[in-house]
Amino acid sequence: MGQISAQNHIPHISKKTPWRSSIMNRLRRDKWLYLLLLPGLLYFVVFKYFPMWGILLAFQNYQPFTGFWKSEWVGLEHFRLFFENPEFYMLLRNTLLLSFYNLIFFFPAPIIFALLLNEVRQVFFKRTIQTMIYVPHFISMVIVASLTYVFLTTEGGTVNELIFQYTGDKIQFLSDPSWFRPIIILQTIWKECGWGTIIFLAALAAVDVEQYEAATIDGANRWRQTWHITLPAIRSTIVILLILRMGSVLDNGFEQIYLMLNPLNRSVGEVFDTYVYAMGITQGAFSYSTAVGLFKSVVGVILVLGANWLAKRFGQSGLY
């Protein structure tokens, strides 16, 4: 009987221990890799996940002198005030229009640049162009806004001086609301387009060269090779980046908009990011601004999940 009971217990132990021992062996084997992972993990825990408790401010009338736990809980009151605010529709329109223009003009720009660079055969010329279009990514947005002011201001601006020499007039680029969105889009393309090409150039490097050789033998020109070989090869990368882009539809970036904003173009330039700053920092409406930020985050999550679902419905590989 003792032998039978011992045999009955052996399989029971063997079913539980392998995965645990496998994890311990993996930790011991790759301990230095996990140690390198630790700083990045701590960064996300401390600066991304731990501050998420602050979203509770959106559901209470927070008073700094009263404290978090003693402030009055008001539920969805701040969301109601936000949706009933006449400025809500202006903020929503401005934010969505800027995101739409970025999606139409900026998102394809890195793809086009990557396709053009992929056709360059001179290595030195190719690397020189890559370096030139990468550099603006590392320039502060404050400097970009300053350069924009130097070029477009009516008081000695380079562009306006040239226009004045040929036409005798000057254009109010920085104060005319109709010029605000084009300037923002051009700034974004100039600053970030080169950096975005890195991902697509890496995807293009994985395309099998034999496919181009076979297409050449079949008589396909460069345009047909790009359409039938290159673009399908990087389709999954484009879809994933598009899904991620959908998560930032209501996030146009605070710094760029704030630096280019002035009282004359506020009607087309004020977005959720600058509104949160104005209400939360300058006016001290912490709970109200938190509600606005939470609204943005929820909409972003819904858009990412919806775009991922649509991508899978059309046979593409999504985020998960």
Side-chain angles (χ1 to χ4, degrees):
M1 294 294 292
Q3 294 177 352
I4 295 175
S5 61
Q7 292 176 355
N8 291 336
H9 284 293
I10 289 174
H12 183 67
I13 295 174
S14 63
K15 290 180 180 179
K16 290 186 177 181
T17 54
W19 67 272
R20 295 178 181 174
S21 60
S22 175
I23 292 177
M24 294 304 299
N25 291 334
R26 191 177 304 167
L27 288 175
R28 284 193 295 266
R29 183 189 61 194
D30 302 327
K31 58 182 178 180
W32 298 114
L33 293 178
Y34 287 108
L35 186 63
L36 291 174
L37 177 66
L38 188 60
L41 185 62
L42 289 176
Y43 166 79
F44 280 98
V45 171
V46 174
F47 294 104
K48 299 297 182 181
Y49 289 99
F50 181 72
M52 288 181 67
W53 70 272
I55 64 176
L56 296 177
L57 294 179
F59 305 99
Q60 60 179 197
N61 189 18
Y62 175 73
Q63 300 295 330
F65 298 102
T66 305
F68 177 77
W69 299 111
K70 293 184 179 180
S71 296
E72 179 187 4
W73 292 87
V74 295
L76 301 176
E77 179 66 17
H78 295 298
F79 293 94
R80 183 185 66 80
L81 293 175
F82 176 54
F83 295 141
E84 292 179 354
N85 192 332
E87 291 188 334
F88 170 76
Y89 297 100
M90 177 196 73
L91 296 170
L92 184 63
R93 180 186 69 250
N94 294 341
T95 304
L96 290 179
L97 280 176
L98 279 175
S99 297
F100 175 75
Y101 292 148
N102 271 318
L103 194 64
I104 296 298
F105 298 105
F106 169 67
F107 183 78
I111 304 175
I112 296 172
F113 268 92
L115 293 175
L116 293 175
L117 284 175
N118 191 53
E119 297 296 324
V120 177
R121 294 294 175 260
Q122 293 292 335
V123 178
F124 175 79
F125 184 61
K126 182 176 182 179
R127 291 180 178 177
T128 302
I129 296 177
Q130 287 178 334
T131 304
M132 291 176 62
I133 63 176
Y134 291 166
V135 168
H137 171 77
F138 302 98
I139 299 177
S140 171
M141 186 54 70
V142 177
I143 298 177
V144 175
S146 300
L147 291 174
T148 304
Y149 178 83
V150 169
F151 279 105
L152 301 182
T153 181
T154 55
E155 302 299 328
T158 306
V159 175
N160 260 316
E161 289 298 324
L162 291 174
I163 295 175
F164 182 77
Q165 290 180 6
Y166 288 100
T167 63
D169 297 323
K170 293 186 178 181
I171 300 176
Q172 303 289 335
F173 290 107
L174 301 178
S175 57
D176 189 350
S178 62
W179 282 100
F180 180 82
R181 293 180 183 127
I183 291 174
I184 294 296
I185 300 303
L186 290 174
Q187 283 181 341
T188 305
I189 293 176
W190 180 78
K191 188 176 187 301
E192 301 297 340
C193 180
W195 186 254
T197 58
I198 295 175
I199 299 175
F200 294 107
L201 284 175
L204 290 172
V207 181
D208 190 2
V209 181
E210 294 182 355
Q211 297 185 28
Y212 293 110
E213 296 175 353
T216 303
I217 295 174
D218 291 338
N221 55 25
R222 297 303 300 176
W223 169 250
R224 288 192 172 273
Q225 292 178 26
T226 301
W227 183 259
H228 295 287
I229 299 176
T230 308
L231 288 177
I234 63 174
R235 184 185 302 159
S236 59
T237 304
I238 296 175
V239 170
I240 291 175
L241 291 178
L242 181 60
I243 293 173
L244 295 175
R245 183 70 186 175
M246 295 302 297
S248 59
V249 164
L250 297 185
D251 187 5
N252 298 116
F254 165 76
E255 187 178 7
Q256 181 185 15
I257 305 297
Y258 182 75
L259 291 171
M260 300 302 301
L261 201 62
N262 58 61
L264 296 176
N265 58 25
R266 182 181 178 274
S267 60
V268 298
E270 188 81 81
V271 294
F272 288 119
D273 298 292
T274 55
Y275 184 72
V276 168
Y277 170 80
M279 298 301 297
I281 303 300
T282 62
Q283 299 187 26
F286 301 109
S287 295
Y288 182 79
S289 59
T290 304
V292 178
L294 182 57
F295 165 74
K296 282 179 46 187
S297 301
V298 171
V299 172
V301 171
I302 293 174
L303 290 175
V304 168
L305 296 177
N308 187 76
W309 178 78
L310 286 176
K312 288 197 168 185
R313 284 296 300 268
F314 285 99
Q316 301 298 320
S317 58
L319 295 175
Y320 57 89

